[in-house]
Amino acid sequence: MSTSHIHTTDTKKENIYMLSFCALMTAVTCILAPLSIPIGPVPISLTNFVIYLSLYLLGWKLATISYLIYLLIGLIGIPIFSGFTGGIGKLLGPTGGYIIGFIPMAILSGIAIEKHNHRWIQFFALVLGTIICYVFGTAWFCIEAQSHLSAALGLCVFPFIPGDLCKIILAMLMGPVIRKRLHLAGIL
């Protein structure tokens, strides 16, 4: 058996594991994202936590693909968005900007996490990504709900900051540990 064949086999095996894990994280998002606490027009959701964790486990590309697959499943009407809702109406509703804002959040935060091992840089990258998601979501909320910015910030951003900081810290603590254990098990 040639070394190129061994390398090709190992690469295929690695790709299959990563794609399977991407599908698994999509399933985790589909399970956890609908579990939400309605506190106003924007509910507390675990969607961003799963994305943060996915960035550590999959890297930014596969984490973003995982989220996009989740988004497509929800857009066809499967009730996997917060509050067990689904369909294009959710995207066009007042919280649709947050659903879209998770995409640049995953990309920008994920790239920074992959490029920098320093925990403070990763923390600020996740915070910055979350702020970008807030911007997308709040801007869309203002348009859709015909709300003033100050009211939208009070409803859609300020109540979520403490919880989102906790989710970031939890993902930063859990993600590297889970990834290391999966790597030692030969899964990643």
Side-chain angles (χ1 to χ4, degrees), residues 2-59:
S2 71
T3 57
S4 65
H5 178 70
I6 293 171
H7 179 68
T8 304
T9 304
D10 290 344
T11 303
K12 285 181 183 177
K13 182 179 175 184
E14 182 180 315
N15 288 342
I16 290 169
Y17 280 156
M18 290 307 293
L19 290 175
S20 298
F21 209 67
C22 180
L24 177 65
M25 291 310 295
T26 300
V28 169
T29 310
C30 291
I31 293 166
L32 294 180
L35 306 174
S36 60
I37 302 169
I39 62 167
V42 179
I44 295 173
S45 157
L46 293 174
T47 308
N48 55 346
F49 172 70
V50 177
I51 294 170
Y52 301 147
L53 195 57
S54 295
L55 293 172
Y56 282 98
L57 301 179
L58 300 172

